[in-house]
Amino acid sequence: MNSDEEQVRREAADDKMINEAYERLVSDYLKSRHRKKVDIIAKAFNFARQAHKGVRRLSGEPYIMHPIAVAQIVCTEIGLGSTSICSALLHDVVEDTDYTVEDIENMFGSKIAQIVDGLTKISGGIFGVQASAQAENFKKLLLTMSEDIRVILIKIADRLHNMRTLDSQPANKQYKIAGETLYLYAPLAHRLGLYKIKSELENLSFRFEHPEEYAAIERKLAQTQVSRHELFDQFTAPIEEMLQRMGLKYHIRERIKTPYSIWNKMQNKHVTFDEIYDILAVRIIFTPTSREQEAKECFNIYVELSQIYKSHPDRLRDWVNHPKANGYQALHVTLMSKQGHWIEVQIRSDRMDEIAEQGLAAHWKYKEGEEYSEDENELNEWLHTIKEILDDPQPDAMDFLDAIKLNLFASEIFVFTPKGEIKTMPADSTVLDFAFSIHTFLGSHCIGAKVNHKLVPLSHPLSSGDQVEILTSKSQHVQPSWINFVSTAKAKAKIQAILRRESRDKQKKGEAMFNEWIAKHDLEPSVSHADQLALFHDGMRREEFFQALADHTVLLGDEDLDELKGKNKKKSSGGGGGWRKYVPFVKAKKTGAENAEPELFIVPEKFNRKKPVYISEENINQYLFPDCCHPIPGDDALGYINNKNQIVIHKRACPVANKLKASYGNRILDVKWDMHKRLFFDATIRMSGIDRRGLVNDVTRVISNQLNVDMRKMMFTSEDGIFEGSIELRVHDRDDVYAIMNSLKSVQDLKEISQIL
C-alpha cells in the first residue's frame, strides 16, 4: 500500500471514529430532560471540526476527539444542556486557531461566546510560568466562575478528559498535571457537588503519581471483593425485608472507598489496608411518595433501621434538613453489623442521589425552560467570600492559593446566632472565624464570645449546634497572632489585609527615617543602599528592614555607615534556607580525591526536562534534599528546579511538592533511583502495643540479630499498660524499611507499626 492509499485509509478511519463519537453525544443529549436544540450542537461540532482539521493530540488521535469527549462529559456526567455542550465543543477554538471571540458571538450568540471567552482566559491549565501569573489566572477563573458557573464546570470536564488521557504525556508533565488536579480541580469539583468526578480526579492523580501503591491497593480490593460482597449481602438482607414491608420503591447499592481515599487514610492514620474497616458503605436510594414527604420518609427508614442494628450515637449526619452549601442532601447513619464492623448507611431519595452525583447541574434538570437559571443561589455565599478575597488578594501566589483552597474541601458545621438563625461554617472554625464571617468590623474588634452562654476566648473551636454571641471592644485591634486562631479563607484574608495595611504605614515611616539618616551622612538615597543594610541586619527583606526601623528594633549607627562604605568586616547574613545536601553514610570512608565534595548540579539552559533524572551513589551529593519530607531511595520522588537552577528532590506525596506541582509545573522533573545498596540513610519506625516485660528486647533482637541493621536512637514510653516507641535506623532504601516493618509484625503484643514520614 503506497503512502497516498495509507493516508486515505487513515482519514476514513478518523472520520468513522469522529462521527461515531458525535452520534453518541447527540444520542445521549436527546435522552436528557433538556430542551432539544440539536441544530446548534451540530453547527458547533461542524465548526470546531473544521477549525481543528489536520491537528492531532500527543496520543495520535484527531484533536476534535478531545472537544467531543469534553462535551460528552458535560452532557452525561455533569448533566448540562445545549449551551454548555456547544461551549465545550468550541472551548479550544479561540486559543488554538485564528478565530476570535467575536466570530463565536456572531455565529453562536453572546452566551456561548461569553463562556468560551471565560474558558480561553483560563486555558493551558490554571497556571502560567510566573507566580504572579498563576495567581492572576486563578483569580480570572474564580471571577469568571462567579459570573457563570458553567465556565468552571466545563473546565473541570476538560481537566477530567486530560487526566483520562494522561498516558501520552512525559512523566514530568504527568506529575505537574496530576499535582495541579489534586491541589485545585478535585477540591473545586467537591465544592460544586461533583463527587463522582472528584473521586475519579483523585484516583487518576494517585495512579500517575504513585503507580505501585495504586496497583497494590487495586489488587487488595480485588482479593477482598468476595468477602465484601458476602458482608454486604448479609448486612442488607434484613434491610431489604424492612423496606419491602414499608412498601417503598427502592434500590440498595454498595459504595466502595476509592483507592486514593484508602491510601490517604493509610498515610494519615499510619495503618495498613487490612486495618481500614470503613471500605464498605451502603446506600439506600428510594422513590418518595411525594416531594413533601421526602424528608419524613428518610427519617422513617432510619427509625426502622435502628430496630435492626445498633446505631452509633455520634455518627448521625442530617444533611436532609440542613443541605450542604453545594446542595448535597442525605441522611448518614453508622450501624454495627452482626460481624462487629461499623458500616455507614446513606439514605437518599432518587432526587437527592442525582444531586449528589451531578451537584448543582442536577438542580437545573428540575426547572422548566432555560438550562441555567439566574436565581441559583446555593453557592452565592461562597462566591461572595471568593470575591472579597479577590478584592484584596495575597501578594504571594502560594498564600493566595492556600487561602482559597482552605474552604474548597472543608466539611461543614451548623452554628446558631443569638436570635436562632443558622449559619453554615467550615469544620474547625473558631469564634474568630465566626466573627469575621458576619462582618469585618465584628472580627477586627472581637475580644471573645459566649458559646452556649459560657464565656470563651477567640481561639475556641466551634461544634455543630453551638449558639454563639460575639463580644467586641472598640479598643481591640487585630494582632499578628490571630492568624493562628482562624481556619477559614475569609478570616485569614481579612486579618492579613488589615496587618498589611498597618505594615505599609510602618514601612513608609521607616523609609522616611532611613532617607533622613542617609541625607544626614551626605549619602545618596537609593534602593541598593536600603537592600544592602537590610541584608546586613540578619538577611532581612527591604520591607522588613523599614518596618524594624519604625518599630525601633533596628537602630542605624556607625557600623551601618561602615557597611555602606565597604569598611565593615562583619559578614552580611544571607538568611537561611530549608535545603541541605544529602550526606549519606558510607560503609568505608573514602580517601583523597574521592572524598572531595562534588559541586551541586546546575541545570543548563538547554536541559531536556522530559527525561528522568537518575540519582546514583556517584551523583547524590549534587542534588538538594529538603527537610520537609526526607526522601530516601525507593520513594516515589520528583525534582524541582529552584531559582538558582539547582535540583531539589521531594517525595511526590510531600505537601510542599504538591504546591510546587500546582504552581511551578514547568520546573518539575521525573526522578528515578539508580542505587545499589552501598550507602545508608536515616529512617524512623514508630510502634505501639501492649506493654510487657522483654518487649523492647524482642524488638531490638529482630532488628539487630535477624536483619543486621544499625540502630542509631531508641525511645520508648509506657503508660497504663500501653507502650509507644520509635527507633531511628540506618537503611539502604525503602525496601529495607518494609522488610523491617514486616519482621516486627512477628513480635507478640506489637499492635501498630508505621514509618514516620
Side-chain angles (χ1 to χ4, degrees):
M1 189 185 294
N2 62 38
S3 59
D4 289 345
E5 289 171 334
E6 174 63 28
Q7 180 70 16
V8 170
R9 189 191 64 75
R10 189 176 182 183
E11 284 177 5
D14 285 348
D15 286 344
K16 183 171 183 287
M17 178 170 61
I18 293 165
N19 291 332
E20 283 174 356
Y22 173 67
E23 283 161 17
R24 186 167 62 253
L25 170 65
V26 172
S27 168
D28 288 343
Y29 169 66
L30 290 172
K31 290 174 196 167
S32 76
R33 299 179 207 169
H34 289 290
R35 287 192 298 173
K36 307 301 179 275
K37 297 183 180 177
V38 179
D39 290 351
I40 194 163
I41 292 174
K43 184 180 175 185
F45 163 66
N46 288 319
F47 180 74
R49 186 178 189 172
Q50 188 58 41
H52 294 299
K53 193 174 177 63
V55 181
R56 293 187 179 274
R57 300 188 84 209
L58 280 179
S59 59
E61 68 179 15
Y63 193 88
I64 187 62
M65 291 300 290
H66 169 63
I68 296 172
V70 174
Q72 183 75 42
I73 293 167
V74 162
C75 174
T76 56
E77 296 182 54
I78 303 181
L80 301 178
S82 58
T83 302
S84 299
I85 292 169
C86 290
S87 302
L89 287 167
L90 299 166
H91 79 272
D92 277 335
V93 166
V94 173
E95 188 192 357
D96 294 343
T97 73
D98 293 332
Y99 289 103
T100 64
V101 175
E102 288 72 26
D103 296 330
I104 303 292
E105 186 171 357
N106 290 336
M107 279 180 275
F108 299 98
S110 60
K111 182 49 72 177
I112 290 173
Q114 185 188 336
I115 296 172
V116 170
D117 186 34
L119 288 160
T120 304
K121 282 175 183 167
I122 54 172
S123 62
I126 287 177
F127 304 108
V129 178
Q130 300 301 321
S132 58
Q134 293 144 14
E136 209 54 47
N137 267 338
F138 193 50
K139 274 161 58 183
K140 284 178 190 169
L141 179 146
L142 292 166
L143 284 169
T144 316
M145 173 179 170
S146 60
E147 288 166 13
D148 192 329
I149 209 86
R150 287 175 292 189
V151 173
I152 192 60
L153 290 169
I154 296 166
K155 191 65 190 169
I156 287 169
D158 178 37
R159 176 49 57 111
L160 179 58
H161 185 247
N162 283 335
M163 288 301 296
R164 286 173 178 173
T165 55
L166 201 56
D167 288 288
S168 55
Q169 294 282 358
N172 65 319
K173 266 285 181 63
Q174 288 177 352
Y175 304 152
K176 178 250 185 203
I177 294 168
E180 188 178 274
T181 299
L182 206 53
Y183 194 71
L184 284 167
Y185 281 96
L188 275 171
H190 172 88
R191 189 63 182 189
L192 295 166
L194 303 168
Y195 293 112
K196 206 171 175 185
I197 287 177
K198 178 214 76 158
S199 296
E200 189 177 350
L201 288 173
E202 287 174 338
N203 274 333
L204 287 167
S205 298
F206 175 42
R207 179 162 75 86
F208 284 106
E209 290 212 271
H210 304 282
E212 289 175 15
E213 281 99 330
Y214 179 86
I217 291 173
E218 286 275 73
R219 276 196 304 275
K220 285 274 191 182
L221 284 171
Q223 288 162 9
T224 55
Q225 189 173 5
V226 174
S227 61
R228 250 193 344 265
H229 285 332
E230 283 175 8
L231 174 61
F232 175 78
D233 291 341
Q234 290 166 5
F235 182 75
T236 55
I239 296 175
E240 296 228 35
E241 287 176 25
M242 175 206 85
L243 292 167
Q244 285 162 10
R245 278 198 314 274
M246 292 176 75
L248 288 170
K249 185 182 173 187
Y250 70 91
H251 60 278
I252 298 181
R253 286 206 302 258
E254 61 177 317
R255 190 226 68 187
I256 308 302
K257 226 174 175 57
T258 63
Y260 172 77
S261 59
I262 291 170
W263 178 76
N264 221 17
K265 193 159 192 176
M266 287 166 67
Q267 302 301 305
N268 294 336
K269 303 279 186 187
H270 302 293
V271 293
T272 63
F273 180 92
D274 300 321
E275 292 170 291
I276 296 176
Y277 293 113
D278 60 345
I279 285 174
L280 172 70
V282 172
R283 200 167 276 163
I284 298 171
I285 299 152
F286 70 97
T287 304
T289 49
S290 69
R291 178 73 186 269
E292 290 72 29
Q293 294 296 308
E294 196 177 43
K296 185 181 176 184
E297 287 173 359
C298 279
F299 280 91
N300 288 345
I301 292 170
Y302 163 59
V303 170
E304 293 295 325
L305 276 175
S306 57
Q307 303 300 311
I308 303 171
Y309 296 109
K310 289 278 186 291
S311 63
H312 195 301
D314 301 325
R315 295 296 298 273
L316 178 67
R317 298 286 181 268
D318 176 13
W319 303 114
V320 173
N321 292 312
H322 306 292
K324 292 189 178 185
N326 52 32
Y328 177 83
Q329 283 183 287
L331 189 62
H332 291 195
V333 55
T334 303
L335 304 172
M336 176 59 77
S337 71
K338 300 287 192 257
Q339 290 76 22
H341 293 313
W342 287 111
I343 294 178
E344 185 181 74
V345 178
Q346 299 170 357
I347 305 165
R348 305 172 174 175
S349 69
D350 38 23
R351 180 191 67 86
M352 292 174 189
D353 186 60
E354 198 164 8
I355 289 168
E357 294 296 311
Q358 297 187 329
L360 284 176
H363 289 280
W364 304 332
K365 290 188 172 186
Y366 297 92
K367 297 186 183 295
E368 296 298 319
E370 289 297 315
E371 89 175 67
Y372 180 77
S373 171
E374 295 304 323
D375 65 0
E376 290 295 339
N377 60 4
E378 284 85 352
L379 281 184
N380 277 356
E381 199 170 318
W382 183 65
L383 293 173
H384 180 68
T385 299
I386 295 291
K387 279 190 169 181
E388 282 192 353
I389 296 169
L390 291 170
D391 287 340
D392 190 7
Q394 301 293 334
D396 182 278
M398 293 313 299
D399 288 348
F400 172 73
L401 297 178
D402 279 350
I404 297 296
K405 190 174 186 293
L406 270 173
N407 285 31
L408 287 178
F409 245 152
S411 343
E412 290 157 329
I413 58 172
F414 301 103
V415 182
F416 293 90
T417 67
K419 292 180 180 177
E421 295 168 6
I422 289 182
K423 292 282 271 181
T424 305
M425 297 289 295
D428 302 324
S429 291
T430 62
V431 161
L432 197 52
D433 285 307
F434 183 74
F436 274 107
S437 76
I438 295 170
H439 198 277
T440 304
F441 179 86
L442 210 60
S444 55
H445 294 282
C446 178
I447 54 170
K450 284 183 180 176
V451 174
N452 306 326
H453 310 292
K454 288 181 184 173
L455 202 59
V456 297
L458 300 172
S459 55
H460 179 81
L462 300 175
S463 305
S464 258
D466 282 346
Q467 188 169 27
V468 187
E469 180 188 350
I470 299 298
L471 305 174
T472 60
S473 164
K474 285 183 180 177
S475 62
Q476 177 72 296
H477 63 277
V478 174
Q479 307 291 326
S481 60
W482 284 16
I483 209 75
N484 303 315
F485 302 160
V486 294
S487 67
T488 60
K490 181 175 182 176
K492 284 205 172 193
K494 290 294 176 191
I495 290 167
Q496 287 169 331
I498 292 165
L499 290 174
R500 275 201 309 278
R501 195 158 54 242
E502 291 176 359
S503 171
R504 277 197 295 270
D505 293 341
K506 282 187 179 176
Q507 282 171 30
K508 283 180 184 172
K509 184 181 173 186
E511 189 173 2
M513 290 167 69
F514 170 75
N515 289 336
E516 194 180 316
W517 182 83
I518 285 279
K520 184 180 167 186
H521 291 89
D522 299 324
L523 292 167
E524 194 69 36
S526 72
V527 170
S528 61
H529 281 157
D531 286 340
Q532 189 178 348
L533 289 187
L535 195 65
F536 179 64
H537 287 277
D538 299 322
M540 289 183 183
R541 288 183 295 114
R542 190 191 325 142
E543 294 80 5
E544 293 171 326
F545 172 61
F546 286 151
Q547 201 166 328
L549 286 176
D551 287 336
H552 301 290
T553 53
V554 165
L555 300 171
L556 296 174
D558 292 341
E559 273 199 341
D560 298 281
L561 208 55
D562 289 343
E563 172 66 20
L564 291 179
K565 292 177 178 177
K567 296 176 184 177
N568 213 330
K569 291 178 182 176
K570 176 186 167 186
K571 286 188 180 176
S572 297
S573 162
W579 316 119
R580 59 187 168 82
K581 283 192 187 181
Y582 226 132
V583 186
F585 308 98
V586 289
K587 286 182 179 176
K589 198 165 178 79
K590 294 181 182 178
T591 56
E594 271 186 308
N595 205 34
E597 192 173 292
E599 289 293 316
L600 285 171
F601 177 72
I602 302 297
V603 176
E605 199 174 322
K606 293 186 178 178
F607 186 71
N608 186 346
R609 300 185 183 201
K610 292 182 182 179
K611 285 189 175 179
V613 170
Y614 285 91
I615 299 178
S616 65
E617 283 88 350
E618 285 71 33
N619 68 10
I620 193 166
N621 276 330
Q622 295 179 16
Y623 305 105
L624 293 169
F625 289 77
D627 294 323
C628 52
C629 58
H630 192 64
I632 68 172
D635 281 331
D636 289 338
L638 55 77
Y640 164 68
I641 302 171
N642 68 13
N643 292 333
K644 295 179 180 177
N645 285 324
Q646 300 153 341
I647 296 178
V648 184
I649 311 297
H650 282 273
K651 285 183 183 175
R652 283 181 221 154
C654 168
V656 175
N658 285 337
K659 290 185 187 181
L660 295 172
K661 285 177 284 192
S663 300
Y664 303 100
N666 58 316
R667 299 192 197 176
I668 299 298
L669 305 171
D670 184 20
V671 164
K672 307 277 188 207
W673 299 97
D674 182 24
M675 309 293 281
H676 307 91
K677 292 187 182 286
R678 296 207 298 269
L679 304 180
F680 286 93
F681 302 84
D682 281 339
T684 304
I685 289 176
R686 178 167 44 201
M687 61 201 78
S688 62
I690 311 299
D691 196 14
R692 62 170 169 81
R693 186 173 292 174
L695 181 64
V696 174
N697 187 43
D698 290 350
V699 168
T700 54
R701 187 167 40 78
V702 166
I703 295 174
S704 297
N705 299 352
Q706 289 185 21
L707 301 168
N708 195 25
V709 173
D710 287 340
M711 288 181 285
R712 296 188 62 217
K713 187 177 173 186
M714 294 171 58
M715 285 176 62
F716 289 95
T717 59
S718 177
E719 191 174 337
D720 298 332
I722 302 295
F723 99 94
E724 289 192 353
S726 65
I727 304 179
E728 282 185 26
L729 309 163
R730 284 184 177 170
V731 296
H732 292 299
D733 51 30
R734 178 70 50 233
D735 290 342
D736 282 1
V737 177
Y738 290 151
I740 293 163
M741 288 167 68
N742 283 330
S743 296
L744 286 172
K745 287 176 184 175
S746 65
V747 176
Q748 190 181 347
D749 294 324
L750 210 56
K751 300 299 181 186
E752 289 186 7
I753 305 157
S754 61
Q755 187 203 351
I756 296 177
L757 300 174

